[in-house]
Amino acid sequence: MSQQVLQTDADVRCVGLTKRFGEVLAVDSVDLEVRRGEFFTMLGPSGSGKTTTLRLIAGFERPDEGRVELAGNDVSREPPYARNVNTVFQDYALFPHMTVLENVEYGLLVRRVRKDDRRRRAHAALEMVRLGGLAQRKPSQLSGGQRQRVALARAIVNQPRALLLDEPLGALDLKLRQQLQIELKQIQKELGMTFVYVTHDQEEALTMSDRIAVFNEGRVEQVGAPAEMYEHPRTEFVAGFIGTSNVLVRNGRTFTVRPEKIRVLPADAGEGEPGVVRAAVYLGAVTRYLVELEGGGELVALQQNLEVSSSDVHAMEGKRVRLAWRPDVEFAIKEGT
Amino acid sequence: MRKRIRSWHVVLAGLVAMLAVPAAGVSKTSALPTKIGPGEGALKVMEWGQYTDPSFAKKFEQQTGCKIQRKDAGSSNEMFNIIHGGGNGYDLVSASGDASLRFIYAGDVVPVNVNLIPSWKDFLPAFKSPPHNTIKGVHYGVSLQWGPNTLIYNTKKVKPAPTSWSAIYSPKYKGKISVPNNPIQIADAALYLQKTKPSLGIKDPYELTKPQFDAAVTLLKKQKPLLLRYWLYPADDEKDFKTGDAFIGATWPLQTLTLQASKVPVKEIIPKEGVTGWADTWMLTKNAPHPNCAYRWMAYAATPQVQAKQALVFGETPVNPKACPYMNKIQKGSCAGYHLSAPAAYAKSIRFWKTPVKTCGWGGRTDCKDQQAWNNAWASITG
Amino acid sequence: MAVDAAREAGSFRGARLRLSSVLWRRPWLKLVVLLVPPVAAFVAVYAASLGAMLVSSFWTSDSFTAAIVHTWTLDQYRAIFSLSDPTYLRIAGRTIGMAAAVTVTDAILAFPLAFFMAKIAGRRTRSLLFVMVLLPLWSSYLVRIYSWTTILSKSGPLNWFLNGLGLPDAQLQFTNKAMWIVFSYVWLPFMILPIYAALERIPGSLLEASRDLGARGSRTFRSVILPLAFPGVVAGSIFTFSLTLGDYITPLLVGGPGSSLIGNIVSEQSASNLTFAAAYAMVPVGVMALYIALARRLGAFEAL
C-alpha cells in the first residue's frame, strides 16, 4: 500500500506512522506529505485517527512505528517543545491566568525573545486576527470566537514551520464557523504558512483545503484536491463521507453518482431506472428525493425547485418516478466500507 | 494533678460554661445528714482511673444496689473544670490535694458528716483532718489514699545508686532524665533547695516568697536541657524506662511497680531531702443527685479490706492502717513496701500537695506566689 | 370514610402545591427557608463561642478558685505580649514557626504526589493512591502519633535501620524536629487533597499547549501549573497551618522539653486561668485571620 512519497519541499511528512493504544490500532501505517504553504486537511469521522496523527506530528504522542519529518528532518524522537510546529487546540487551551497579550507572548517569552520585540510581534499577531483592542482582557472575558482568534494568534506569532489545527471551529455555531473559515483561509494565504487542519466536517474541508486526506479506521483512504475527492472518490467510504453516498451495483460494477447529477423524471419517461419516492424533503431552493430503485439500491437526488411548490413536493412521496443520469458521471469505486 | 487514664477530648469543654460562675466562697454548712438513707440505685463518680475498680466495687454494687457510673479524669484541672462547670450530675470526685482546696473555696463541694464513716476513727492521724480537706474543723470529704513522689532509676545504668534528688539536677545523666509535666514540680525543686540551700530560708515548698520561688525556677530552668522530656501520662513514663530511653527521674510508686512487674531493672527511693506526695479525698458535690449512695461508697472505701485492695490495684498507700494485714495477705510485704507500717510520723514528713496561695502559712506574710504564678513559671520553664 | 380520606389527601396535596407555588413566586423566601437553619447554627455554635472567648479574654480569673472576675482588663494580653517575660511570645513564635515549617514541608511533599495522581496515573493507580492517602485518616490520629513515638524511640525501628546501614543513632525523639516530622505526616492528606482537586481542574491541553509553545517541564511548572494550582496550595496550607496552630497532642507525645505550643498552654491554663487561656487562644485566631487576608491579597481565592 505504502507509496513512495515524492521528494518535494515537504514541510511535514509522515512515513509508515503507526500508533496503538492498548489493543486499539489508532493510526495504521499512515503516509502523508504536506507541501510548503499548503492548506492540508485531515478529514474523517471521530476515531478515524486524524487527531492522533496530528498529535504525533506535534509530538504529544510517540509513534510505535514510522517517523515524522519536519522540513526534511526526522523529529520522531524530539519533544514537542523542540519541534518547530504550533498547535491550535480544539478547546483553545488558553492560559486562564494570563491576559490575551501574555498568552500570545508566551511562546516568545519561553524562547527568550527580547521584550520590545516580543510586544511588537504579539500586537501584530493580534492585529492580524483583529483582536488589537482586547490585549489586556483575560480569556474568561472573551466570546468563543474571540478565544479561537487568540489561540490562533498565540500559535502564528511563533512563525512555525507548520501550524496544526485540531478542529478549531468545532465549538462554534454555524454562522461564526463559516465566517472564521474564510478568515482562516485568508490568514493562511497572507502568511504563506503550512496549515495542517483536522476536521470531521466535509463542507469545511471542501471550503478551505488545498488538499484533503480522508481518514478511516486509522488509515488514509485517499488524498487529493477537494474537487477531485468529490468527483472521483476512490472508495465507497470516501464517496459516502464527502457528499452523500449514492452507490449502486450494476452488472458487477460498483459506482457512485452525485445527487445533483441525477434527473428525476415522470414514470412514463422513456429513459432512466424506475423507482418509488420514499421521501421528499423540501429545502427551499432544492428538494432532496430518496428513491428506492426497482433494480435494487437507493439513490438520493437533488432537484432545483424551478417550477414546483412545497405542496407539489409533498405530493411526490410514494409516487413512481424514473431516475436518469449521464454515463460519464458514474465513477467506479472499490467496494468496502 | 495526677493524670492516669488519657481522656483527650475534654480540653476546652466547659470553657464557655465557665463564664457565668457565681462569686466563690466556702458554701454555708447546711444541716449535715445524721444517718444514711436508702440508696438511690445509682452513683456517678469523677475519679482517677481504677479508683472504683470492679475488683472491689462489684461487691459494693451488689450490697447497696448503687450502680456506679464512672468517668476517669486526665488531670486535676480537668476534674475541676467539669465539676466546677456544673457537675453534670456527678456525686463524688476523688480530688487530689492540689484541687481539693479549689473545690472547697469555689463552693463546688459540701461538708460531710465523718461520723457516718465508721472507719474514719481508725485513719492515720495525718489524714483525719488534713489541711487539704478540712477547714476550721469542717470536713469537706473523706481521705482516701496517699503516696510519695519518688526517685526512680535504672539499676543497671545508674551507678552508684543515688541517694539525693541532686541526681536529677546533675549533667551526669543528661538526656536520660524524665520528670512530670506539672507546675507542682516547682515544690520538688523547693524541697531540694530547702535542704541544700538553707540560706533561702524555705519553710514550706508550697509557700514560697519571690526569692525562694525564683531560686526554684532557676534550678528547674537549668534542669531543662538535661531532660529527656516532661512526661504527662504514667504510661509514657513507663514506656521511656522500658525502652531504656530514660535512666532516672521523678515518678510515682505505680510506675515503679508496673515496671518491676515487667522485669525492667528499676528501683525507687525516698531521697535524703524527703519527698512531696499526694493525698486524695472523696468529696461530695453540692448538687449530688445520689447523696446516700455517695455516703455508702465513702464508708465502703474506708474499710480496711477495700483500702488494701485499692492500694494494691493503684500502687498507693491506704489512710486506714488496719488495711495492713489485708495488704500482706494479697501481696507479701506490701504493707511495709508502701510504708503503711512506718511510724505515723512518716506520713507527716511527706510534704503533701496543696494549692499554692498568696497567704503564706508561716509568718503571716501575704506575698507568697500563688497558683497562677506557679502556672506561669511552669510555662516559662517548660515552654 | 374513604371519600373523606381521599379529600383529606387531596387537600394535603393541595396545600403542598400552594406552598411550593408560593415559594416559586418568591425566590427570596425560598432562600430564607433554606439558609436560616445553617446560619442560625453557625451563629449559635461558632460565632457565639468565639465571641464568648473573645469577651472573656478581657476579663480576669481569681487565682485561687479560678472563678472569672468580670472586670475589664488587658492584663491577659499584657502577659502574652510581655517583653520582660517573653515566655508566651516565645511559645507563640515557636507555634507559628512550626506551622509554617510543616506547611512548607507538606506543600513540597504533596505537590508531586498530587500531580502524579491528577495528571499521570491511570484510573486504577489513582484509586489506589487515593486509598493510601486517605487510609491513615481512618485510624485514630492518636494511634498514629503513638506509633511515631515508637518509630523515633532510641531503640526504635528508625535507629535500628540507621544502625543497620552503619550510621549513628538519629537523636530525634522528644525534639522539635520530631514534632515537625509527625505534624508533617499527620496533616499531609489535608494538603494533598486540595492540591489534587486544583490540579485535576487544569485541562491537560494547557500543559500540552505550554510544551507546544516551546516550554520545558520546569517552565510549564512555573508558568502554568503552579499559578493554576496555587489556590489549592493555599487551601491546603490553611488546613495544615491552622491544624498545627491548634494542636497540643503531638507536643505532649513526641515533643521534648521546650516543645510546648500555644495549644498546650491553653490546655494547661483552661481550668486554672480560663481568661488567660481565652486570650492566648485568640492568638491563633488572629494569626489565621492575617494569613487568610494575605492569601486573599495574593489572589488565592480569585479562581474559586
Side-chain angles (χ1 to χ4, degrees):
Chain A
M1 259 310 283
S2 112
Q3 315 142 279
Q4 184 60 44
V5 180
L6 292 172
Q7 278 297 339
T8 56
D9 52 350
D11 264 342
V12 180
R13 275 181 74 195
C14 301
V15 182
L17 209 53
T18 299
K19 178 70 186 174
R20 290 183 197 85
F21 294 111
E23 298 283 291
V24 182
L25 190 57
V27 174
D28 184 4
S29 59
V30 162
D31 296 299
L32 277 180
E33 187 185 270
V34 182
R35 297 172 196 140
R36 169 161 304 169
E38 184 176 41
F39 197 119
F40 187 87
T41 298
M42 302 199 281
L43 176 67
S46 60
S48 62
K50 59 191 190 306
T51 295
T52 306
T53 304
L54 192 80
R55 291 171 60 79
L56 284 162
I57 297 170
F60 301 138
E61 311 285 354
R62 258 176 268 177
D64 293 316
E65 286 162 41
R67 62 179 193 273
V68 173
E69 288 177 12
L70 294 178
N73 302 316
D74 185 355
V75 295
S76 306
R77 297 180 159 276
E78 293 192 11
Y81 52 79
R83 299 187 183 192
N84 191 15
V85 291
N86 285 115
T87 306
V88 176
F89 291 84
Q90 190 169 9
D91 64 352
Y92 317 139
L94 300 180
F95 304 123
H97 58 296
M98 299 182 192
T99 62
V100 166
L101 186 66
E102 284 166 343
N103 264 286
V104 176
E105 279 188 0
Y106 186 76
L108 302 174
L109 179 78
V110 167
R111 296 202 163 87
R112 298 174 200 281
V113 174
R114 276 194 317 131
K115 187 171 178 183
D116 46 350
D117 200 15
R118 212 159 71 203
R119 202 72 3 138
R120 189 178 47 71
R121 284 169 65 179
H123 277 296
L126 284 171
E127 286 302 331
M128 176 160 266
V129 299
R130 301 195 287 128
L131 282 180
L134 301 180
Q136 294 310 320
R137 297 257 184 105
K138 287 276 178 76
S140 58
Q141 297 166 305
L142 302 179
S143 70
Q146 288 169 330
R147 287 180 205 185
Q148 209 285 321
R149 289 160 202 252
V150 176
L152 185 63
R154 185 176 69 175
I156 60 175
V157 76
N158 302 297
Q159 296 164 349
R161 190 68 189 233
L163 188 69
L164 314 177
L165 302 101
D166 184 8
E167 307 222 16
L169 308 179
L172 305 174
D173 62 50
L174 183 64
K175 273 253 169 70
L176 196 55
R177 199 156 70 217
Q178 286 170 341
Q179 185 194 333
L180 280 168
Q181 283 169 6
I182 296 163
E183 279 183 34
L184 260 181
K185 182 73 188 169
Q186 275 174 351
I187 290 170
Q188 191 257 340
K189 270 189 188 154
E190 210 168 307
L191 293 169
M193 196 181 275
T194 307
F195 275 33
V196 181
Y197 194 96
V198 163
T199 183
H200 64 269
D201 182 338
Q202 45 107 354
E203 197 186 307
E204 197 165 285
L206 294 175
T207 310
M208 304 163 78
S209 314
D210 295 324
R211 286 195 305 147
I212 298 171
V214 175
F215 276 70
N216 183 33
E217 296 190 337
R219 308 180 70 94
V220 177
E221 292 263 334
Q222 189 175 354
V223 182
E228 184 191 340
M229 301 290 276
Y230 186 77
E231 289 168 1
H232 303 279
R234 215 177 293 146
T235 66
E236 188 176 342
F237 178 81
V238 174
F241 201 75
I242 299 183
T244 310
S245 170
N246 262 356
V247 177
L248 284 184
V249 182
R250 291 290 182 266
N251 308 322
R253 203 170 63 96
T254 307
F255 62 93
T256 173
V257 185
R258 288 296 173 193
E260 69 276 13
K261 310 278 188 195
I262 299 172
R263 282 170 293 144
V264 180
L265 303 172
D268 53 0
E271 53 171 329
E273 283 204 29
V276 175
V277 176
R278 286 283 165 238
V281 182
Y282 182 75
L283 297 171
V286 294
T287 297
R288 192 166 71 210
Y289 297 95
L290 178 64
V291 178
E292 190 182 337
L293 294 173
E294 282 169 14
E298 279 182 348
L299 284 181
V300 173
L302 277 181
Q303 300 292 293
Q304 285 201 302
N305 294 331
L306 288 174
E307 287 163 0
V308 287
S309 67
S310 62
S311 52
D312 297 338
V313 165
H314 290 306
M316 286 294 286
E317 290 195 359
K319 292 264 172 61
R320 297 178 58 81
V321 291
R322 278 180 177 268
L323 298 184
W325 58 87
R326 296 206 322 262
D328 62 322
V329 300
E330 291 179 2
F331 289 102
I333 55 172
K334 288 186 299 178
E335 261 187 283
T337 44
Chain B
M1 286 244 187
R2 278 174 309 136
K3 286 126 200 192
R4 179 78 180 99
I5 299 296
R6 41 197 80 87
S7 308
W8 302 93
H9 307 289
V10 192
V11 191
L12 294 178
L15 193 103
V16 178
M18 294 269 298
L19 291 177
V21 168
V26 180
S27 60
K28 288 224 173 66
T29 311
S30 50
L32 287 175
T34 50
K35 66 176 178 59
I36 306 176
E40 296 89 347
L43 178 64
K44 199 172 168 189
V45 299
M46 164 75 61
E47 58 158 20
W48 301 121
Q50 299 173 327
Y51 265 35
T52 57
D53 193 78
S55 66
F56 49 88
K58 264 222 170 76
K59 198 170 154 198
F60 167 81
E61 289 180 324
Q62 284 159 5
Q63 281 176 0
T64 64
C66 300
K67 183 94 188 77
I68 297 176
Q69 200 189 332
R70 45 180 76 81
K71 164 152 180 71
D72 297 340
S75 69
S76 284
N77 280 345
E78 187 188 329
M79 274 188 177
F80 183 74
N81 225 342
I82 290 173
I83 299 294
H84 186 68
N88 286 341
Y90 287 104
D91 300 294
L92 288 174
V93 53
S94 65
S96 291
D98 58 333
S100 51
L101 285 184
R102 273 194 273 166
F103 280 124
I104 296 168
Y105 282 96
D108 297 325
V109 295
V110 294
V112 296
N113 186 352
V114 293
N115 295 326
L116 297 176
I117 314 298
S119 300
W120 183 81
K121 60 183 184 302
D122 301 325
F123 282 7
L124 288 167
F127 297 104
K128 280 187 176 166
S129 308
H132 55 259
N133 67 24
T134 305
I135 311 277
K136 290 176 185 145
V138 180
H139 299 276
Y140 290 88
V142 179
S143 290
L144 177 59
Q145 301 269 333
W146 57 281
N149 297 312
T150 54
L151 180 70
I152 185 174
Y153 65 98
N154 184 314
T155 53
K156 292 232 171 85
K157 307 276 188 181
V158 178
K159 285 174 181 167
T163 57
S164 159
W165 282 116
S166 63
I168 64 164
Y169 299 109
S170 117
K172 187 174 176 194
Y173 298 107
K174 184 167 193 253
K176 306 292 176 190
I177 305 167
S178 74
V179 298
N181 187 356
N182 193 321
I184 216 85
Q185 204 59 26
I186 295 169
D188 279 54
L191 186 67
Y192 172 71
L193 291 172
Q194 186 179 4
K195 299 286 159 39
T196 54
K197 276 210 176 140
S199 60
L200 287 167
I202 294 174
K203 301 215 168 45
D204 182 330
Y206 302 95
E207 295 172 348
L208 301 171
T209 60
K210 188 172 181 337
Q212 298 168 348
F213 185 76
D214 289 349
V217 170
T218 306
L219 177 65
L220 290 169
K221 279 188 174 163
K222 272 199 222 137
Q223 181 196 37
K224 178 178 163 186
L226 310 177
L227 294 178
L228 175 71
R229 72 156 151 178
Y230 298 100
W231 58 265
L232 188 60
Y233 299 96
D236 294 336
D237 187 28
E238 281 162 23
K239 198 173 155 203
D240 292 344
F241 277 91
K242 209 179 254 175
T243 58
D245 291 327
F247 291 173
I248 191 164
T251 194
W252 306 329
L254 167 71
Q255 285 96 297
T256 313
L257 281 169
T258 316
L259 286 165
Q260 284 170 344
S262 46
K263 307 277 183 254
V264 181
V266 293
K267 209 176 157 188
E268 74 172 7
I269 59 155
I270 306 264
K272 61 186 179 195
E273 294 89 358
V275 290
T276 58
W278 78 86
D280 294 344
T281 305
W282 279 122
M283 298 185 119
L284 182 63
T285 66
K286 75 175 164 201
N287 294 321
H290 317 105
N292 291 322
C293 276
Y295 263 100
R296 283 171 194 276
W297 174 260
M298 287 190 284
Y300 180 77
T303 57
Q305 293 95 322
V306 177
Q307 283 263 299
K309 277 184 188 158
Q310 180 176 349
L312 292 172
V313 166
F314 202 92
E316 54 191 359
T317 313
V319 294
N320 187 343
K322 289 198 167 167
C324 197
Y326 296 102
M327 283 178 85
N328 285 333
K329 204 186 281 174
I330 301 168
Q331 189 183 321
K332 209 174 161 210
S334 60
C335 177
Y338 282 105
H339 317 287
L340 186 55
S341 56
Y346 174 81
K348 280 211 153 134
S349 77
I350 295 174
R351 298 296 197 149
F352 287 107
W353 283 354
K354 61 181 178 186
T355 311
V357 291
K358 284 206 175 81
T359 312
C360 314
W362 46 276
R365 298 173 61 152
T366 55
D367 59 348
C368 277
K369 292 291 180 176
D370 63 9
Q371 177 78 51
Q372 198 50 59
W374 284 52
N375 284 344
N376 287 336
W378 188 246
S380 79
I381 293 163
T382 61
Chain C
M1 278 294 272
V3 176
D4 279 358
R7 193 180 303 144
E8 200 139 283
S11 80
F12 176 67
R13 208 176 301 134
R16 266 180 45 172
L17 195 64
R18 266 198 307 284
L19 182 66
S20 69
S21 55
V22 164
L23 288 177
W24 182 80
R25 280 197 298 272
R26 296 177 182 76
W28 57 268
L29 190 62
K30 201 155 143 187
L31 212 62
V32 166
V33 171
L34 208 64
L35 284 180
V36 160
V39 169
F42 177 81
V43 169
V45 176
Y46 286 91
S49 57
L50 207 62
M53 196 161 87
L54 182 66
V55 168
S56 53
S57 74
F58 293 103
W59 287 334
T60 183
S61 314
D62 185 285
S63 70
F64 183 63
T65 64
I68 288 174
V69 182
H70 300 102
T71 42
W72 299 102
T73 170
L74 286 173
D75 282 358
Q76 312 305 345
Y77 289 99
R78 278 197 201 100
I80 291 167
F81 294 103
S82 159
L83 292 173
S84 55
D85 175 13
T87 300
Y88 298 111
L89 279 178
R90 190 175 71 230
I91 291 170
R94 176 188 300 140
T95 309
I96 293 164
M98 181 63 69
V102 168
T103 298
V104 170
T105 311
D106 276 349
I108 290 170
L109 292 177
F111 210 103
L113 184 61
F115 186 77
F116 182 78
M117 284 166 68
K119 291 283 166 230
I120 300 171
R123 189 181 304 207
R124 287 178 60 144
T125 320
R126 179 185 307 171
S127 318
L128 188 72
L129 283 170
F130 251 114
V131 171
M132 283 169 68
V133 167
L134 293 175
L135 197 62
L137 299 181
W138 301 353
S139 72
S140 162
Y141 142 95
L142 285 171
V143 173
R144 284 179 287 142
I145 296 177
Y146 259 109
S147 70
W148 270 101
T149 66
T150 307
I151 293 169
L152 298 173
S153 158
K154 190 173 161 27
S155 51
L158 176 67
N159 282 337
W160 177 80
F161 178 75
L162 288 175
N163 293 339
L165 294 176
L167 296 167
D169 282 355
Q171 306 281 352
L172 283 175
Q173 72 164 343
F174 309 134
T175 61
N176 290 349
K177 277 198 201 99
M179 281 210 292
W180 169 62
I181 292 169
V182 173
F183 273 135
S184 299
Y185 160 75
V186 291
W187 306 142
L188 188 59
F190 297 94
M191 184 64 98
I192 292 175
L193 296 181
I195 295 182
Y196 168 82
L199 287 171
E200 217 230 348
R201 275 170 37 182
I202 303 177
S205 63
L206 288 191
L207 311 186
E208 286 182 347
S210 178
R211 283 196 290 164
D212 184 70
L213 291 165
R216 284 157 197 279
S218 56
R219 179 82 209 194
T220 302
F221 180 80
R222 258 184 303 134
S223 298
V224 180
I225 299 173
L226 201 55
L228 291 175
F230 188 62
V233 178
V234 171
S237 78
I238 288 171
F239 286 126
T240 57
F241 199 82
S242 64
L243 286 168
T244 309
L245 276 190
D247 193 87
Y248 72 105
I249 305 287
T250 303
L252 281 185
L253 296 185
V254 299
S259 290
S260 296
L261 301 186
I262 290 174
N264 297 88
I265 302 297
V266 171
S267 152
E268 282 161 20
Q269 302 257 355
S270 60
S272 57
N273 191 352
L274 184 72
T275 51
F276 178 82
Y280 209 34
M282 292 311 293
V283 172
V285 174
V287 169
M288 278 319 292
L290 279 177
Y291 189 90
I292 289 170
L294 187 72
R296 206 185 136 89
R297 178 159 289 191
L298 289 174
F301 303 124
E302 270 168 29
L304 295 185

